[in-house]
């Protein structure tokens, strides 16, 4: 029996419709296909199923291609477009028509809607009633010659269950009554999903179709087409869907988070890949995989569970923070984007990298790191009335620290030991310790309660900056200023 290990090398494909941004449910399917192809020494292919002429757009196509590139999922062949393969589908349908395995259907949308409503009233699944299947050949030809609009349907003659072994779910059986004679070509000549998928997968050499379990019934339809065309049937594997905490499927139409949104949130692409691949246990959760090649080697497709995978954005953000903190100092600097002319760009590359590395543990995203930069580049600190009120009691500490810093070279940076010693001596002079020592110093240096650790601030800021900020607070409370 073929399984993930004994089969292969696997030629997989990801086949999204360019009708919107790439949401995380579809991104997970792409990631699983990519890792499996890489691990088995196969190929990962990309096909854009752009046959929905009303909803497909070049903007969505560009978005999908960007999203896959951001995730690092490069296909091994040029991108395939279904809209450029229409003659191939027409030829395939003609072969079925010539063998009476398909027929033209002239039913109007109104007639089909009435059939669906009748099926619902009778408690039956909606399926085509077969109205045009038995048309007299002469009458059928006359209607075709007159140019009457029509679709082409597959003649489903199956009487036994359609069976196959799913590499994730095991033996599967779909009753032939689950669907009727399904459409192959629409009235505009464009292919249906099931026709195009089978023709394309066979033509592209795909030997494993790995996708969501919501395609199980489509798989039965496609198996019938593989048999009708005489194509080699690929292996099938249907993974559980990506759902929210309430068990609802994540999808574009439901407003699921997309790959571009992950980028805008400052998430790291490696984290998105590892999190989505590891949701069902296919990747170890504690280890960080810093390259796709490393992740592919550790990928365990047989661990993909039959159940759905529950998305937890907090967990993804936590994993992303771990990846963000592994970036090199140069990588951290590249993540900081500020307006032209910001004082940050006046710093030397060496100082920028030193600051970024020193702040690594205080930020989980580029935005958080960027928000810390003004603490080190601002010429002056802005103080709110509340902060000034709190600083009143801290003046003795600030004065003692300012006096200790006065003889230090303004361009010098203190090391950790010097910082600790200076704070200890300032506390002894002012007769305070703990929060009464550290809190006023933090407020004086930053103007806020949160931000970098005090030790980080005092190590990374030049002594002249420290002195200037402390002096600004002390001068604010000086008698001459108060009297003035």
């Amino acid at each position: 029996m073929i399984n993930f290990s004994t089969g292969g090398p696997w030629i997989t494909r990801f086949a999204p419709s360019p009708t919107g941004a790439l949401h995380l449910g579809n991104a997970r399917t792409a990631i699983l296909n990519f890792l499996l192809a890489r691990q088995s020494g196969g190929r990962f292919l990309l096909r854009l199923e752009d046959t929905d002429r009303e909803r497909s757009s070049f903007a969505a196509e560009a978005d999908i291609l960007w999203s896959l590139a951001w995730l690092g999922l490069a296909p091994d062949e040029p991108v395939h477009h279904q809209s450029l393969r229409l003659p191939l589908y027409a030829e395939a349908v003609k072969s079925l028509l010539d063998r009476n395995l398909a027929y033209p259907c002239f039913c109007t949308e109104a007639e089909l809607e009435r059939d669906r409503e009748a099926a619902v009233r009778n408690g039956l699944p909606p399926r085509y009633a077969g109205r045009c299947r038995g048309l007299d050949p002469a009458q059928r030809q006359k209607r075709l010659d007159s140019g009457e609009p029509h679709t082409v349907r597959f003649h489903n003659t199956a009487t036994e269950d359609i069976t196959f072994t799913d590499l994730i779910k095991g033996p599967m059986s779909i009753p032939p009554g689950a669907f009727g004679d399904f459409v192959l070509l629409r009235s505009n000549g464009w292919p249906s999903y099931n026709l195009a998928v089978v023709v394309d997968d066979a033509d592209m050499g795909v030997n494993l179709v790995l996708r969501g379990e919501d395609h199980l019934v489509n798989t039965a339809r496609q198996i019938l087409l593989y048999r009708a065309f005489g194509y080699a049937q690929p292996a099938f594997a249907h993974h559980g869907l990506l759902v929210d905490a309430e068990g609802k499927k994540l999808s574009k139409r439901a407003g699921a988070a997309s790959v571009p949104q992950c980028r805008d949130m400052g998430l790291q692409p490696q984290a998105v890949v590892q999190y989505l691949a590891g949701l069902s246990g296919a990747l170890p959760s504690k280890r960080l995989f810093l390259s796709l090649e490393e992740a592919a080697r550790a990928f365990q497709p047989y661990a993909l569970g039959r159940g759905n995978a529950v998305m937890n954005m907090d967990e993804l953000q936590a994993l992303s923070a771990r990846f963000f903190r592994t970036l090199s100092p140069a990588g951290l600097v590249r993540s900081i984007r500020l307006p032209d002319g910001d004082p940050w760009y006046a710093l030397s590359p060496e100082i920028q990298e030193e600051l970024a590395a020193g702040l690594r543990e205080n930020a989980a995203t580029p935005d958080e790191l960027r928000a810390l930069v003004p603490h080190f580049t601002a010429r002056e600190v802005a103080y709110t009335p509340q902060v000034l009120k709190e600083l009143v009691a801290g003046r003795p500490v600030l004065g003692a620290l300012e006096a200790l810093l006065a003889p230090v070279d303004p361009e010098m940076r203190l090391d950790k030991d010097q910082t600790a010693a200076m704070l200890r001596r300032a506390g002894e002079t002012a007769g305070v310790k703990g929060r009464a020592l550290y809190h006023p110093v933090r407020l004086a240096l930053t103007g806020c309660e949160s931000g970098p650790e005090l030790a980080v601030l005092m190590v990374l800021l030049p002594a002249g900056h420290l002195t200037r900020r402390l002096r600004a607070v002390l001068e604010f409370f000086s008698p001459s200023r108060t009297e003035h």
Side-chain angles (χ1 to χ4, degrees):
M1 179 184 296
I2 292 178
N3 57 40
F4 284 118
S5 299
T6 61
W10 296 116
I11 301 173
T12 68
R13 49 76 164 173
F14 176 55
S17 298
T19 57
L22 185 66
H23 70 81
L24 295 187
N26 275 348
R28 178 171 178 254
T29 297
I31 292 164
L32 298 179
N33 276 280
F34 179 91
L35 294 177
L36 185 57
R38 286 289 179 273
Q39 183 190 71
S40 67
R43 288 182 294 145
F44 171 70
L45 310 180
L46 175 61
R47 181 174 71 234
L48 291 174
E49 300 192 337
D50 54 351
T51 58
D52 188 334
R53 300 174 68 184
E54 290 74 29
R55 297 176 61 224
S56 297
S57 71
F58 289 118
E61 177 180 330
D63 183 276
I64 290 172
L65 295 177
W66 177 91
S67 295
L68 293 174
W70 185 73
L71 293 170
L73 309 182
D76 295 309
E77 292 181 4
V79 179
H80 299 264
H81 290 76
Q82 287 187 334
S83 60
L84 302 179
R85 300 164 64 84
L86 299 184
L88 198 63
Y89 309 133
E91 181 182 352
V93 170
K94 184 178 183 301
S95 75
L96 297 181
L97 288 167
D98 291 345
R99 291 177 288 141
N100 293 320
L101 297 177
Y103 60 89
C105 174
F106 303 94
C107 295
T108 65
E109 187 56 41
E111 290 174 317
L112 296 174
E113 181 60 30
R114 286 195 294 270
D115 290 344
R116 285 190 286 267
E117 291 173 354
V120 170
R121 285 195 302 271
N122 294 323
L124 300 173
R127 49 176 290 177
Y128 181 58
R131 185 180 296 106
C132 293
R133 185 190 309 146
L135 283 178
D136 176 75
Q139 181 187 9
R140 176 184 295 159
Q141 190 60 48
K142 181 179 179 181
R143 297 175 74 170
L144 289 173
D145 292 342
S146 70
E148 185 174 344
H150 63 280
T151 61
V152 176
R153 290 183 179 272
F154 179 72
H155 189 184
N156 179 12
T157 59
T159 57
E160 297 181 353
D161 287 359
I162 299 119
T163 61
F164 65 97
T165 299
D166 190 290
L167 299 193
I168 294 175
K169 296 184 176 297
M172 302 298 297
S173 180
I174 310 294
F179 49 86
D181 294 352
F182 49 91
V183 172
L184 300 175
L185 282 182
R186 303 186 185 102
S187 58
N188 60 7
W190 285 61
S192 69
Y193 166 77
N194 287 297
L195 170 71
V197 163
V198 170
V199 172
D200 287 341
D201 284 345
D203 183 64
M204 294 163 61
V206 172
N207 62 6
L208 172 61
V209 176
L210 171 60
R211 57 190 176 188
E213 63 180 21
D214 49 343
H215 283 286
L216 276 170
V217 174
N218 280 331
T219 297
R221 294 186 180 98
Q222 291 162 22
I223 287 174
L224 294 180
L225 288 177
Y226 276 106
R227 294 172 183 172
F229 288 125
Y231 297 156
Q233 181 178 309
F236 291 97
H238 294 84
H239 60 74
L241 304 180
L242 192 62
V243 299
D244 62 20
E246 298 177 354
K248 297 178 181 177
K249 176 187 172 183
L250 299 182
S251 66
K252 281 184 286 192
R253 295 184 181 183
S258 67
V259 173
Q261 286 174 326
C262 288
R263 178 205 58 185
D264 293 343
M265 292 168 61
L267 300 183
Q268 297 299 297
Q270 309 98 307
V272 177
V273 169
Q274 178 165 333
Y275 178 76
L276 293 177
L279 272 179
S280 298
L283 274 181
S285 58
K286 295 183 179 180
R287 176 181 166 191
L288 291 185
F289 297 96
L290 300 181
S291 72
L292 288 171
E293 292 73 20
E294 189 181 356
R297 287 193 295 270
F299 185 58
Q300 302 168 356
Y302 51 83
L304 290 169
R306 298 183 181 185
N308 291 332
V310 180
M311 175 77 195
N312 185 313
M313 187 58 74
D314 290 340
E315 292 177 355
L316 173 55
Q317 290 174 317
L319 180 61
S320 180
R322 292 174 62 196
F323 272 100
F324 183 67
R325 290 168 183 149
T326 67
L327 293 179
S328 67
L332 291 169
V333 169
R334 284 193 296 271
S335 76
I336 299 174
R337 304 289 178 84
L338 290 163
D340 292 343
D342 189 275
W344 168 256
Y345 296 114
L347 302 177
S348 69
E350 294 76 17
I351 294 298
Q352 287 181 341
E353 290 186 13
E354 184 180 350
L355 287 172
L359 295 172
R360 185 195 307 270
E361 296 304 318
N362 298 98
T365 67
D367 282 347
E368 291 183 8
L369 182 59
R370 181 167 55 248
L372 297 175
V373 167
H375 291 305
F376 302 90
T377 59
R379 187 74 182 168
E380 297 180 349
V381 177
Y383 302 101
T384 66
Q386 179 60 36
V387 167
L388 290 172
K389 183 178 179 181
E390 292 187 49
L391 281 171
V392 171
R395 284 177 294 172
V397 173
L398 304 181
L401 186 58
E402 192 266 344
L404 292 169
L405 284 165
V408 179
D409 181 349
E411 299 301 319
M412 175 182 170
R413 282 183 166 83
L414 306 175
D415 61 29
K416 291 182 178 179
D417 291 339
Q418 290 172 321
T419 297
M422 199 168 285
L423 285 171
R424 183 175 60 254
R425 289 177 61 191
E428 291 171 352
T429 301
V432 296
K433 58 183 179 180
R435 178 179 169 80
L437 166 62
Y438 301 119
H439 189 61
V441 176
R442 163 182 284 286
L443 291 179
L445 295 180
T446 67
C448 57
E449 300 270 358
S450 60
E453 296 293 332
L454 179 57
V456 172
L457 274 167
M458 294 190 63
V459 167
L460 295 179
L461 276 172
H465 280 57
L466 298 174
T467 302
R468 185 166 57 249
R469 294 182 184 185
L470 293 172
R471 191 169 293 158
V473 174
L474 293 170
E475 289 179 354
F476 182 86
F477 292 113
S478 66
S480 59
R481 178 183 176 92
T482 304
E483 292 169 4
H484 178 75

